[in-house]
Amino acid sequence: MRRKMISTTMLIHEENEEDLFDRLPDAILLTIFDKLQDAKSLSISSSLCKRFRLLTTQTHHISLAIPSQKYHKSLPFSSRNKFIRFFLKPFQFVYRQISQWNPICMPCDNTQKKSDSYSCCTCSYASSSPAEILRNFTEIKELEIRVPSDGGGGDSDSLLKWKGEFGSQLKNCLIVGGISLSPICNNDRIDNGDAPIRELELQRMANEDLKLRIVWIISSLIAASARHCLLEEVIKEKKLLNKVVIMDDIGQGKVCMNGEQVEEMRRDAEVFSSKMPALKVKMWYSPELELPEGGCVMKGATLVVVKPVEEWSKADDGGDLVAKGFGFAGDGKEEKVFDEVARELVKLERSYSLEMNSF
């Protein structure tokens, strides 16, 4: 009787050990992986079993965050200590085999501090190109990449936002910036009609202010061009890709490409040697701009619209780009303020124009 009870208990225990997750159909697992999106998490999941390895390659929506180089930790067998290198040499083959599938992350070293989210990862993640990291994801349709800001932009750049659209070359770029942002006080409110507003509009931009705006324009265009170049190899390899967004981790600027623009880049990337065609720049400026919706005042408010020369027309004032806004993920109060700045500045009668050669 006792043996019968033991055998029954063992049978129940074996039934309880059955992995119910295996019963889920592939369609549900693909939905879960699509919701997960994070490339690093998907790569780690792919190491769990053959089924996960097969399904993660079919994920359509991928988000890839590239950490800064300063957080990168080298692999343990890159040590200069000859004894340690000799001892770890047999494990290098295992590492190479695993990294062929999963170039993002290797197992954590338990001796490292868990408080540092990057120090727990002994990987080539930070030094690899996006195309190399994503090489096993064969069915990507929408891709979002976050690159490190690397401390770019000091206090003067803290109120700077930009958004660029590319095909094989730059299509347009919208830049909004300011010197400072402060809440509206009762003393700051303009109650004397439109006269003070007109006086502010008529104030010309000082030379130092103009130089700063030119620096903003050039640095934003260079950053946009660099990110566009980063996408070339990915777009060339991923034939199903129809939407790409690449932005920095502080949300200062981003490059966007829709399906038509991705296809154009894939088709004409080698035709154009320059990523920036001859450009026309139109700029609006107000030394002090009151923003009723945001409840604040921006000093040195500036709006810049950049387009290729041939795409400007006499009737085109940049309002179409301003209407689109920035569209940063998880838009908060700050992003709405920048959208309001753009909408208010484009109404001003005075604007500044300049042209730039291709580069």
Side-chain angles (χ1 to χ4, degrees):
M1 181 70 179
R2 186 176 180 182
R3 288 182 179 177
K4 188 175 181 180
M5 290 179 63
I6 292 173
S7 62
T8 304
T9 303
M10 292 178 64
L11 182 62
I12 294 173
H13 182 68
E14 290 177 358
E15 290 179 352
N16 291 336
E17 285 185 344
E18 181 184 1
D19 189 357
L20 299 179
F21 205 79
D22 287 338
R23 294 184 180 182
L24 292 176
D26 290 351
I28 293 180
L29 289 180
L30 284 172
T31 302
I32 293 173
F33 288 142
D34 262 340
K35 297 291 184 182
L36 183 60
Q37 295 189 3
D38 179 54
K40 184 174 180 179
S41 301
L42 288 169
S43 294
I44 294 173
S45 300
S46 69
S47 305
L48 298 178
C49 63
K50 291 182 178 179
R51 188 187 183 200
F52 281 15
R53 176 173 176 173
L54 177 64
L55 292 176
T56 51
T57 62
Q58 303 174 34
T59 307
H60 293 160
H61 304 84
I62 298 290
S63 175
L64 174 61
I66 301 178
S68 175
Q69 289 282 355
K70 64 182 178 180
Y71 294 109
H72 177 62
K73 299 292 182 178
S74 59
L75 290 167
F77 23 83
S78 64
S79 172
R80 295 182 180 180
N81 190 309
K82 293 182 179 180
F83 176 77
I84 295 178
R85 291 180 64 184
F86 176 79
F87 178 76
L88 294 175
K89 195 170 184 179
F91 298 99
Q92 293 188 31
F93 174 76
V94 178
Y95 165 74
R96 291 193 190 100
Q97 295 302 311
I98 295 176
S99 63
Q100 283 181 3
W101 160 246
N102 184 353
I104 295 183
C105 189
M106 289 295 292
C108 296
D109 181 359
N110 293 330
T111 61
Q112 294 174 343
K113 295 181 181 180
K114 295 182 179 180
S115 59
D116 190 342
S117 59
Y118 289 110
S119 66
C120 188
C121 179
T122 56
C123 61
S124 58
Y125 186 45
S127 58
S128 300
S129 67
E132 183 181 354
I133 295 171
L134 300 169
R135 66 173 181 257
N136 294 298
F137 297 99
T138 57
E139 299 188 19
I140 304 175
K141 293 184 178 180
E142 295 185 10
L143 175 63
E144 179 181 308
I145 300 177
R146 289 183 177 268
V147 295
S149 61
D150 290 330
D155 293 337
S156 62
D157 289 340
S158 60
L159 294 179
L160 181 66
K161 295 279 187 182
W162 59 266
K163 174 185 176 182
E165 291 187 9
F166 278 82
S168 53
Q169 293 184 307
L170 179 72
K171 297 295 184 184
N172 57 70
C173 186
L174 179 67
I175 305 169
V176 177
I179 302 301
S180 66
L181 194 65
S182 57
I184 294 178
C185 300
N186 292 331
N187 295 334
D188 296 332
R189 291 192 174 276
I190 300 173
D191 298 324
N192 298 325
D194 295 334
I197 299 177
R198 297 292 299 175
E199 289 178 7
L200 287 175
E201 286 185 22
L202 292 175
Q203 288 185 17
R204 293 186 177 273
M205 190 185 303
N207 289 336
E208 291 301 320
D209 292 329
L210 181 58
K211 290 178 183 178
L212 177 60
R213 271 66 185 177
I214 292 176
V215 170
W216 286 355
I217 294 169
I218 294 175
S219 61
S220 298
L221 291 177
I222 291 175
S225 180
R227 295 177 194 184
H228 181 246
C229 291
L230 195 63
L231 295 172
E232 281 188 15
E233 193 175 350
V234 176
I235 290 176
K236 192 180 297 182
E237 293 179 359
K238 309 303 177 185
K239 303 300 182 183
L240 299 178
L241 198 61
N242 56 35
K243 182 180 179 182
V244 183
V245 175
I246 178 168
M247 60 191 302
D248 53 75
D249 51 9
I250 62 173
Q252 186 178 74
K254 72 174 182 177
V255 169
C256 307
M257 298 179 70
N258 58 31
E260 292 180 3
Q261 293 164 346
V262 168
E263 185 58 35
E264 179 188 328
M265 182 178 180
R266 190 181 290 121
R267 184 183 64 249
D268 302 332
E270 297 179 0
V271 176
F272 298 100
S273 58
S274 173
K275 301 303 178 185
M276 292 290 177
L279 302 172
K280 181 177 179 181
V281 180
K282 194 170 183 178
M283 178 168 56
W284 293 262
Y285 169 78
S286 175
E288 187 173 312
L289 183 66
E290 184 175 338
L291 307 169
E293 294 180 14
C296 54
V297 175
M298 178 177 284
K299 292 187 177 180
T302 307
L303 167 66
V304 180
V305 175
V306 184
K307 285 185 180 182
V309 172
E310 63 271 12
E311 293 194 14
W312 279 98
S313 64
K314 292 182 178 180
D316 189 359
D317 61 353
D320 55 338
L321 291 180
V322 173
K324 294 180 182 178
F326 285 100
F328 282 97
D331 283 353
K333 183 178 179 180
E334 183 181 354
E335 279 68 36
K336 292 179 180 178
V337 166
F338 280 92
D339 284 338
E340 185 181 358
V341 170
R343 291 195 304 270
E344 294 297 324
L345 286 177
V346 80
K347 299 175 184 177
L348 300 182
E349 295 179 3
R350 170 177 285 175
S351 62
Y352 302 81
S353 296
L354 60 98
E355 293 189 7
M356 301 174 63
N357 295 328
S358 61
F359 62 93

